Amino acid sequence: NLSERLTLVSSFIASGAYFADIGSDHAYLPIYVCQKDLTAKGIAGELNQGPYEAALTHVAGNQLTDRISVRKGNGLSVIEEEPVDTVVICGMGGGLIKTILDEGEKHLKNVTRLVLQPNIDSHYLRAWLVSHHYELVSEEILKEDGHIYEILVADKVAEDISLTDKAQLFGPFLLKQSSDIFKEKWQREKLNIERVIKEMSKAKVINQEKLQSFQTQLAWIKEVLKDDD
Ligand code: SAM
């Protein structure tokens, strides 16, 4: 059974999509998508030999070799000339996903939708999306096996877009919903930031700029949690 996390990710892949799942591991996501949607086609990209072989085995075992091409390579470089319209990158840190997008930007020519699931640091991705003409159309937050995950869905647009620093940190849709899981996440982050601020204040040489930025974040978090202590 596919995890709740990847099932939710799959719901943002349009019917008939030509998608690429980067860092596909066992190719569970592309297999699930192609089993549900007989018009979908996909590429499963993997950097590492072990997961690449696991993907090959699983795709062949599910008789999907004609619709899922398993490719070994770094990031978006596995997308060649085929008209991939949707790119999915899940289960990595936001920093690594951003690096993959930056390094492979030229492979995104026909890509109208990005579905990203960063385990941490989603604000890097919101900043990247804004500066690359991808507009957030949906965000999800969920908890599975004790971990809290975010899903960001963005579509290519022609016009310039903007997002405030606060919206980049929290996510505009997630902030608006302010679900219990969202609050739980920011409760955890609040403790982390408070600890960091305490450590920084004890240092011999204080980086005022950095300290200020953490203090601003902490103030936003308190506001969001409606918590004044
Ligand atoms: N996407 C799956 C998921 O969400 O369950 C697997 C996530 S797994 C934690 C991350 C996978 O990304 C690993 O299989 C790893 O080999 C692969 N990976 C890491 N860096 C990569 C890169 N630059 N290009 C392609 N795959 C990469």
PDB file of all heavy atoms in Angstrom, residues 5-6 21-25 45-48 51 73-75 89-92 96 100 117 119, ligand 1:
ATOM      1  N   ARG A   5       1.188   9.911   2.396  1.00  0.00           N
ATOM      2  CA  ARG A   5       1.965  11.025   1.848  1.00  0.00           C
ATOM      3  C   ARG A   5       2.036  10.949   0.313  1.00  0.00           C
ATOM      4  O   ARG A   5       1.684  11.901  -0.390  1.00  0.00           O
ATOM      5  CB  ARG A   5       3.380  10.974   2.457  1.00  0.00           C
ATOM      6  CG  ARG A   5       4.372  11.971   1.920  1.00  0.00           C
ATOM      7  CD  ARG A   5       5.720  11.781   2.630  1.00  0.00           C
ATOM      8  NE  ARG A   5       6.296  10.455   2.397  1.00  0.00           N
ATOM      9  CZ  ARG A   5       7.092  10.147   1.373  1.00  0.00           C
ATOM     10  NH1 ARG A   5       7.437  11.059   0.502  1.00  0.00           N
ATOM     11  NH2 ARG A   5       7.567   8.920   1.231  1.00  0.00           N
ATOM     12  N   LEU A   6       2.464   9.789  -0.202  1.00  0.00           N
ATOM     13  CA  LEU A   6       2.605   9.687  -1.659  1.00  0.00           C
ATOM     14  C   LEU A   6       1.248   9.595  -2.357  1.00  0.00           C
ATOM     15  O   LEU A   6       1.112  10.025  -3.503  1.00  0.00           O
ATOM     16  CB  LEU A   6       3.507   8.502  -2.027  1.00  0.00           C
ATOM     17  CG  LEU A   6       4.996   8.698  -1.697  1.00  0.00           C
ATOM     18  CD1 LEU A   6       5.810   7.471  -2.104  1.00  0.00           C
ATOM     19  CD2 LEU A   6       5.579   9.941  -2.375  1.00  0.00           C
ATOM     20  N   ASP A  21       9.300  11.489 -11.930  1.00  0.00           N
ATOM     21  CA  ASP A  21       9.451  11.393 -10.472  1.00  0.00           C
ATOM     22  C   ASP A  21      10.950  11.302 -10.195  1.00  0.00           C
ATOM     23  O   ASP A  21      11.592  10.296 -10.502  1.00  0.00           O
ATOM     24  CB  ASP A  21       8.707  10.152  -9.964  1.00  0.00           C
ATOM     25  CG  ASP A  21       8.831   9.999  -8.445  1.00  0.00           C
ATOM     26  OD1 ASP A  21       8.921  11.023  -7.741  1.00  0.00           O
ATOM     27  OD2 ASP A  21       8.837   8.841  -7.974  1.00  0.00           O
ATOM     28  N   ILE A  22      11.499  12.371  -9.634  1.00  0.00           N
ATOM     29  CA  ILE A  22      12.955  12.466  -9.442  1.00  0.00           C
ATOM     30  C   ILE A  22      13.310  11.998  -8.028  1.00  0.00           C
ATOM     31  O   ILE A  22      12.768  12.507  -7.054  1.00  0.00           O
ATOM     32  CB  ILE A  22      13.423  13.926  -9.668  1.00  0.00           C
ATOM     33  CG1 ILE A  22      12.971  14.438 -11.046  1.00  0.00           C
ATOM     34  CG2 ILE A  22      14.934  14.052  -9.488  1.00  0.00           C
ATOM     35  CD1 ILE A  22      13.452  13.626 -12.238  1.00  0.00           C
ATOM     36  N   GLY A  23      14.215  11.028  -7.940  1.00  0.00           N
ATOM     37  CA  GLY A  23      14.531  10.412  -6.645  1.00  0.00           C
ATOM     38  C   GLY A  23      13.402   9.447  -6.304  1.00  0.00           C
ATOM     39  O   GLY A  23      12.802   9.491  -5.241  1.00  0.00           O
ATOM     40  N   SER A  24      13.117   8.568  -7.267  1.00  0.00           N
ATOM     41  CA  SER A  24      11.899   7.749  -7.220  1.00  0.00           C
ATOM     42  C   SER A  24      12.013   6.560  -6.279  1.00  0.00           C
ATOM     43  O   SER A  24      11.015   5.933  -5.936  1.00  0.00           O
ATOM     44  CB  SER A  24      11.580   7.260  -8.643  1.00  0.00           C
ATOM     45  OG  SER A  24      10.292   6.753  -8.722  1.00  0.00           O
ATOM     46  N   ASP A  25      13.226   6.236  -5.877  1.00  0.00           N
ATOM     47  CA  ASP A  25      13.497   5.079  -5.019  1.00  0.00           C
ATOM     48  C   ASP A  25      12.913   3.807  -5.652  1.00  0.00           C
ATOM     49  O   ASP A  25      13.349   3.425  -6.728  1.00  0.00           O
ATOM     50  CB  ASP A  25      12.963   5.338  -3.600  1.00  0.00           C
ATOM     51  CG  ASP A  25      13.604   4.412  -2.578  1.00  0.00           C
ATOM     52  OD1 ASP A  25      14.361   3.513  -2.994  1.00  0.00           O
ATOM     53  OD2 ASP A  25      13.357   4.564  -1.371  1.00  0.00           O
ATOM     54  N   GLY A  45      13.379   8.691 -12.118  1.00  0.00           N
ATOM     55  CA  GLY A  45      14.803   9.025 -12.107  1.00  0.00           C
ATOM     56  C   GLY A  45      15.425   8.666 -10.774  1.00  0.00           C
ATOM     57  O   GLY A  45      14.826   8.888  -9.729  1.00  0.00           O
ATOM     58  N   GLU A  46      16.602   8.086 -10.798  1.00  0.00           N
ATOM     59  CA  GLU A  46      17.335   7.752  -9.569  1.00  0.00           C
ATOM     60  C   GLU A  46      18.821   7.992  -9.750  1.00  0.00           C
ATOM     61  O   GLU A  46      19.398   7.649 -10.769  1.00  0.00           O
ATOM     62  CB  GLU A  46      17.116   6.285  -9.170  1.00  0.00           C
ATOM     63  CG  GLU A  46      16.287   6.088  -7.926  1.00  0.00           C
ATOM     64  CD  GLU A  46      16.762   6.824  -6.683  1.00  0.00           C
ATOM     65  OE1 GLU A  46      17.968   7.013  -6.498  1.00  0.00           O
ATOM     66  OE2 GLU A  46      15.919   7.224  -5.873  1.00  0.00           O
ATOM     67  N   LEU A  47      19.411   8.572  -8.739  1.00  0.00           N
ATOM     68  CA  LEU A  47      20.844   8.848  -8.753  1.00  0.00           C
ATOM     69  C   LEU A  47      21.636   7.599  -8.367  1.00  0.00           C
ATOM     70  O   LEU A  47      22.713   7.336  -8.900  1.00  0.00           O
ATOM     71  CB  LEU A  47      21.141   9.979  -7.758  1.00  0.00           C
ATOM     72  CG  LEU A  47      22.594  10.397  -7.568  1.00  0.00           C
ATOM     73  CD1 LEU A  47      23.162  10.971  -8.862  1.00  0.00           C
ATOM     74  CD2 LEU A  47      22.705  11.429  -6.454  1.00  0.00           C
ATOM     75  N   ASN A  48      21.080   6.830  -7.436  1.00  0.00           N
ATOM     76  CA  ASN A  48      21.865   5.749  -6.824  1.00  0.00           C
ATOM     77  C   ASN A  48      21.504   4.361  -7.350  1.00  0.00           C
ATOM     78  O   ASN A  48      20.340   4.074  -7.639  1.00  0.00           O
ATOM     79  CB  ASN A  48      21.708   5.824  -5.301  1.00  0.00           C
ATOM     80  CG  ASN A  48      22.343   7.103  -4.755  1.00  0.00           C
ATOM     81  OD1 ASN A  48      23.527   7.355  -4.972  1.00  0.00           O
ATOM     82  ND2 ASN A  48      21.538   7.938  -4.110  1.00  0.00           N
ATOM     83  N   PRO A  51      18.569   1.940  -5.349  1.00  0.00           N
ATOM     84  CA  PRO A  51      17.189   2.311  -5.658  1.00  0.00           C
ATOM     85  C   PRO A  51      16.870   2.237  -7.155  1.00  0.00           C
ATOM     86  O   PRO A  51      15.738   1.869  -7.524  1.00  0.00           O
ATOM     87  CB  PRO A  51      17.088   3.760  -5.167  1.00  0.00           C
ATOM     88  CG  PRO A  51      18.325   4.057  -4.431  1.00  0.00           C
ATOM     89  CD  PRO A  51      19.286   2.946  -4.583  1.00  0.00           C
ATOM     90  N   GLY A  73      20.415   8.749 -13.138  1.00  0.00           N
ATOM     91  CA  GLY A  73      21.059  10.032 -13.401  1.00  0.00           C
ATOM     92  C   GLY A  73      20.777  11.019 -12.289  1.00  0.00           C
ATOM     93  O   GLY A  73      19.950  10.777 -11.411  1.00  0.00           O
ATOM     94  N   ASN A  74      21.469  12.143 -12.367  1.00  0.00           N
ATOM     95  CA  ASN A  74      21.354  13.173 -11.339  1.00  0.00           C
ATOM     96  C   ASN A  74      20.185  14.105 -11.634  1.00  0.00           C
ATOM     97  O   ASN A  74      20.121  14.721 -12.697  1.00  0.00           O
ATOM     98  CB  ASN A  74      22.669  13.965 -11.292  1.00  0.00           C
ATOM     99  CG  ASN A  74      22.706  14.941 -10.126  1.00  0.00           C
ATOM    100  OD1 ASN A  74      21.775  15.010  -9.311  1.00  0.00           O
ATOM    101  ND2 ASN A  74      23.768  15.700 -10.040  1.00  0.00           N
ATOM    102  N   GLY A  75      19.267  14.204 -10.693  1.00  0.00           N
ATOM    103  CA  GLY A  75      18.186  15.190 -10.766  1.00  0.00           C
ATOM    104  C   GLY A  75      17.414  15.186 -12.073  1.00  0.00           C
ATOM    105  O   GLY A  75      17.025  14.134 -12.588  1.00  0.00           O
ATOM    106  N   ILE A  89       9.081  15.833  -7.018  1.00  0.00           N
ATOM    107  CA  ILE A  89      10.300  15.562  -6.223  1.00  0.00           C
ATOM    108  C   ILE A  89       9.883  15.476  -4.758  1.00  0.00           C
ATOM    109  O   ILE A  89       9.400  16.459  -4.188  1.00  0.00           O
ATOM    110  CB  ILE A  89      11.378  16.660  -6.404  1.00  0.00           C
ATOM    111  CG1 ILE A  89      11.572  17.023  -7.883  1.00  0.00           C
ATOM    112  CG2 ILE A  89      12.704  16.189  -5.785  1.00  0.00           C
ATOM    113  CD1 ILE A  89      12.612  18.141  -8.121  1.00  0.00           C
ATOM    114  N   CYS A  90      10.039  14.295  -4.184  1.00  0.00           N
ATOM    115  CA  CYS A  90       9.489  14.050  -2.843  1.00  0.00           C
ATOM    116  C   CYS A  90      10.521  13.428  -1.902  1.00  0.00           C
ATOM    117  O   CYS A  90      11.435  12.728  -2.329  1.00  0.00           O
ATOM    118  CB  CYS A  90       8.337  13.053  -2.930  1.00  0.00           C
ATOM    119  SG  CYS A  90       6.972  13.674  -3.868  1.00  0.00           S
ATOM    120  N   GLY A  91      10.299  13.664  -0.621  1.00  0.00           N
ATOM    121  CA  GLY A  91      11.032  12.920   0.402  1.00  0.00           C
ATOM    122  C   GLY A  91      12.464  13.364   0.619  1.00  0.00           C
ATOM    123  O   GLY A  91      13.280  12.609   1.127  1.00  0.00           O
ATOM    124  N   MET A  92      12.792  14.580   0.174  1.00  0.00           N
ATOM    125  CA  MET A  92      14.142  15.104   0.417  1.00  0.00           C
ATOM    126  C   MET A  92      14.018  16.434   1.148  1.00  0.00           C
ATOM    127  O   MET A  92      12.932  17.001   1.246  1.00  0.00           O
ATOM    128  CB  MET A  92      14.872  15.352  -0.903  1.00  0.00           C
ATOM    129  CG  MET A  92      14.959  14.141  -1.798  1.00  0.00           C
ATOM    130  SD  MET A  92      15.703  14.615  -3.373  1.00  0.00           S
ATOM    131  CE  MET A  92      14.962  13.386  -4.434  1.00  0.00           C
ATOM    132  N   LEU A  96      18.033  20.367  -0.856  1.00  0.00           N
ATOM    133  CA  LEU A  96      18.429  19.451  -1.936  1.00  0.00           C
ATOM    134  C   LEU A  96      17.468  19.586  -3.131  1.00  0.00           C
ATOM    135  O   LEU A  96      17.902  19.618  -4.292  1.00  0.00           O
ATOM    136  CB  LEU A  96      18.454  17.998  -1.420  1.00  0.00           C
ATOM    137  CG  LEU A  96      18.768  16.908  -2.456  1.00  0.00           C
ATOM    138  CD1 LEU A  96      20.082  17.190  -3.189  1.00  0.00           C
ATOM    139  CD2 LEU A  96      18.835  15.530  -1.796  1.00  0.00           C
ATOM    140  N   ILE A 100      18.442  20.619  -6.980  1.00  0.00           N
ATOM    141  CA  ILE A 100      18.039  19.832  -8.157  1.00  0.00           C
ATOM    142  C   ILE A 100      17.330  20.726  -9.180  1.00  0.00           C
ATOM    143  O   ILE A 100      17.598  20.657 -10.385  1.00  0.00           O
ATOM    144  CB  ILE A 100      17.156  18.632  -7.717  1.00  0.00           C
ATOM    145  CG1 ILE A 100      18.019  17.584  -6.989  1.00  0.00           C
ATOM    146  CG2 ILE A 100      16.429  18.018  -8.906  1.00  0.00           C
ATOM    147  CD1 ILE A 100      17.247  16.415  -6.386  1.00  0.00           C
ATOM    148  N   GLN A 117       7.626  17.769  -2.374  1.00  0.00           N
ATOM    149  CA  GLN A 117       7.322  17.379  -0.997  1.00  0.00           C
ATOM    150  C   GLN A 117       8.608  17.399  -0.186  1.00  0.00           C
ATOM    151  O   GLN A 117       9.286  16.395  -0.025  1.00  0.00           O
ATOM    152  CB  GLN A 117       6.639  15.998  -0.979  1.00  0.00           C
ATOM    153  CG  GLN A 117       6.138  15.559   0.397  1.00  0.00           C
ATOM    154  CD  GLN A 117       7.245  14.858   1.149  1.00  0.00           C
ATOM    155  OE1 GLN A 117       7.735  13.819   0.724  1.00  0.00           O
ATOM    156  NE2 GLN A 117       7.670  15.434   2.282  1.00  0.00           N
ATOM    157  N   ASN A 119      10.873  17.498   3.113  1.00  0.00           N
ATOM    158  CA  ASN A 119      10.725  17.037   4.504  1.00  0.00           C
ATOM    159  C   ASN A 119      11.005  18.172   5.487  1.00  0.00           C
ATOM    160  O   ASN A 119      10.448  18.199   6.579  1.00  0.00           O
ATOM    161  CB  ASN A 119      11.687  15.886   4.782  1.00  0.00           C
ATOM    162  CG  ASN A 119      11.303  14.646   4.007  1.00  0.00           C
ATOM    163  OD1 ASN A 119      10.161  14.508   3.569  1.00  0.00           O
ATOM    164  ND2 ASN A 119      12.246  13.739   3.812  1.00  0.00           N
TER     165      ASN A 119
HETATM  166  N1  SAM B   1      10.682   9.962  -3.631  1.00  0.00           N
HETATM  167  C1  SAM B   1      10.589   8.817  -2.734  1.00  0.00           C
HETATM  168  C2  SAM B   1       9.646   9.107  -1.609  1.00  0.00           C
HETATM  169  O1  SAM B   1       9.267  10.264  -1.445  1.00  0.00           O
HETATM  170  O2  SAM B   1       9.284   8.171  -0.881  1.00  0.00           O
HETATM  171  C3  SAM B   1      11.962   8.420  -2.201  1.00  0.00           C
HETATM  172  C4  SAM B   1      12.557   9.385  -1.226  1.00  0.00           C
HETATM  173  S1  SAM B   1      14.185   8.889  -0.732  1.00  0.00           S
HETATM  174  C5  SAM B   1      14.272   9.485   0.889  1.00  0.00           C
HETATM  175  C6  SAM B   1      15.223   9.948  -1.672  1.00  0.00           C
HETATM  176  C7  SAM B   1      15.692   9.292  -2.953  1.00  0.00           C
HETATM  177  O3  SAM B   1      16.272  10.290  -3.786  1.00  0.00           O
HETATM  178  C8  SAM B   1      16.736   8.228  -2.733  1.00  0.00           C
HETATM  179  O4  SAM B   1      16.338   7.038  -3.372  1.00  0.00           O
HETATM  180  C9  SAM B   1      17.997   8.830  -3.377  1.00  0.00           C
HETATM  181  O5  SAM B   1      18.809   7.833  -3.990  1.00  0.00           O
HETATM  182  C10 SAM B   1      17.432   9.789  -4.402  1.00  0.00           C
HETATM  183  N2  SAM B   1      18.259  10.946  -4.746  1.00  0.00           N
HETATM  184  C11 SAM B   1      18.969  11.735  -3.903  1.00  0.00           C
HETATM  185  N3  SAM B   1      19.560  12.743  -4.591  1.00  0.00           N
HETATM  186  C12 SAM B   1      19.189  12.596  -5.893  1.00  0.00           C
HETATM  187  C13 SAM B   1      19.474  13.306  -7.090  1.00  0.00           C
HETATM  188  N4  SAM B   1      20.278  14.380  -7.080  1.00  0.00           N
HETATM  189  N5  SAM B   1      18.921  12.868  -8.248  1.00  0.00           N
HETATM  190  C14 SAM B   1      18.113  11.777  -8.253  1.00  0.00           C
HETATM  191  N6  SAM B   1      17.822  11.061  -7.157  1.00  0.00           N
HETATM  192  C15 SAM B   1      18.356  11.460  -5.990  1.00  0.00           C
END
